[in-house]
Amino acid sequence: MNDDADLKLLPGLSEKLHNIPVRPCFALMLAFAEPLSTIPVKGFSIKNSKILSSAYCDSSKPDRSTTSERWVLHSTAEYAENIIAQTGLKKPSDATLNKVAEELFQEFQSTEANISQPFFKRAHRWGSAFPDASIAQEEKCVWDRSKRLAICGDFCVSPNVEGAIDSGFAAALRLKDISASSL
Ligand SMILES: Cc1cc2nc3c(=O)[nH]c(=O)nc-3n(C[C@H](O)[C@H](O)[C@H](O)COP(=O)(O)OP(=O)(O)OC[C@H]3O[C@@H](n4cnc5c(N)ncnc54)[C@H](O)[C@@H]3O)c2cc1C
């Protein structure tokens, strides 16, 4: 949450919610006409790379089209910070995104043998991609009984969908308890 006007209404919670650190990331979508049969898994982390942190086969997720095989690569935060330091926070130019796409793809190729050329390749900058802190590891959400308010999100638990869902459930339970106790 970055909206100062909203936070002023929540003095008790604003300290926790203000300035949650975030990590930037460049993501690269690749689409291949044929499956990358040399890769035996559908997602993996990349250690010891200054450029790439992970790769996921998006088309292997439930209910995705399988007419092509699509992979999403994530840059390291350090790589993204370095590019942002060079280009500033304005919308990245096509030249910058093309350069990033090429660098991430080359790094992907160097991690695995026989990666063919994709027919689609596009990079996207996520300036605040992932929270870099989990502010409510135990309670999984932040809440204020007097205001009958619970706030949830991945920044409470862990920087992924699982963390967001966990936090959402915790917030729903809090609100249920608060409503029940005020009957
Ligand atoms: C490129 C990328 C790829 C990812 N891939 C994966 C993956 O494969 N698997 C995985 O588990 N996780 C993945 N994640 C992480 C995952 O997307 C997040 O952890 C998850 O979406 C967090 O859910 P959330 O509900 O906490 O926040 P969000 O999904 O960010 O939702 C917050 C919502 O609040 C809205 N909002 C913000 N401020 C206000 C305001 N003031 N008023 C009203 N609305 C507001 C926003 O517009 C947004 O719709 C990825 C993240 C990125 C950046």
Side-chain angles (χ1 to χ4, degrees):
M1 274 178 82
N2 292 317
D3 194 317
D4 287 344
D6 289 349
L7 287 176
K8 283 195 186 117
L9 301 172
L10 309 165
L13 299 183
S14 65
E15 207 175 306
K16 284 184 185 165
L17 297 171
H18 225 165
N19 294 329
I20 296 171
V22 289
R23 282 180 284 129
C25 173
F26 278 90
L28 177 67
M29 169 69 87
L30 301 167
F32 299 90
E34 299 295 332
L36 299 182
S37 52
T38 53
I39 304 181
V41 291
K42 295 303 177 195
F44 58 97
S45 301
I46 297 147
K47 308 287 175 210
N48 306 321
S49 168
K50 289 187 160 52
I51 297 179
L52 270 189
S53 69
S54 55
Y56 302 100
C57 181
D58 198 66
S59 50
S60 72
K61 293 179 179 176
D63 298 328
R64 302 296 204 277
S65 158
T66 51
T67 49
S68 62
E69 183 161 288
R70 295 174 306 286
W71 284 76
V72 175
L73 314 184
H74 287 179
S75 78
T76 59
E78 294 70 24
Y79 174 85
E81 278 159 5
N82 188 31
I83 299 285
I84 291 167
Q86 292 167 38
T87 60
L89 282 172
K90 64 182 188 301
K91 189 168 182 265
S93 65
D94 285 348
T96 297
L97 291 176
N98 290 342
K99 173 177 172 277
V100 166
E102 207 41 54
E103 288 179 352
L104 295 185
F105 180 60
Q106 278 182 13
E107 187 74 356
F108 187 46
Q109 280 185 309
S110 75
T111 65
E112 294 289 333
N114 296 325
I115 291 181
S116 53
Q117 281 299 319
F119 67 82
F120 178 91
K121 181 169 60 176
R122 182 167 298 167
H124 185 89
R125 185 191 69 195
W126 295 82
S128 305
F130 302 102
D132 205 13
S134 305
I135 66 166
Q137 280 285 0
E138 280 185 19
E139 297 199 281
K140 300 191 175 180
C141 66
V142 289
W143 55 286
D144 183 324
R145 179 176 294 277
S146 66
K147 295 218 160 27
R148 299 158 64 93
L149 177 75
I151 296 173
C152 56
D154 60 353
F155 58 90
C156 290
V157 181
S158 60
N160 47 42
V161 169
E162 191 179 342
I165 291 172
D166 240 14
S167 180
F169 276 129
L173 282 176
R174 282 288 170 206
L175 290 176
K176 194 167 154 250
D177 287 351
I178 292 170
S179 304
S181 63
S182 62
L183 284 177

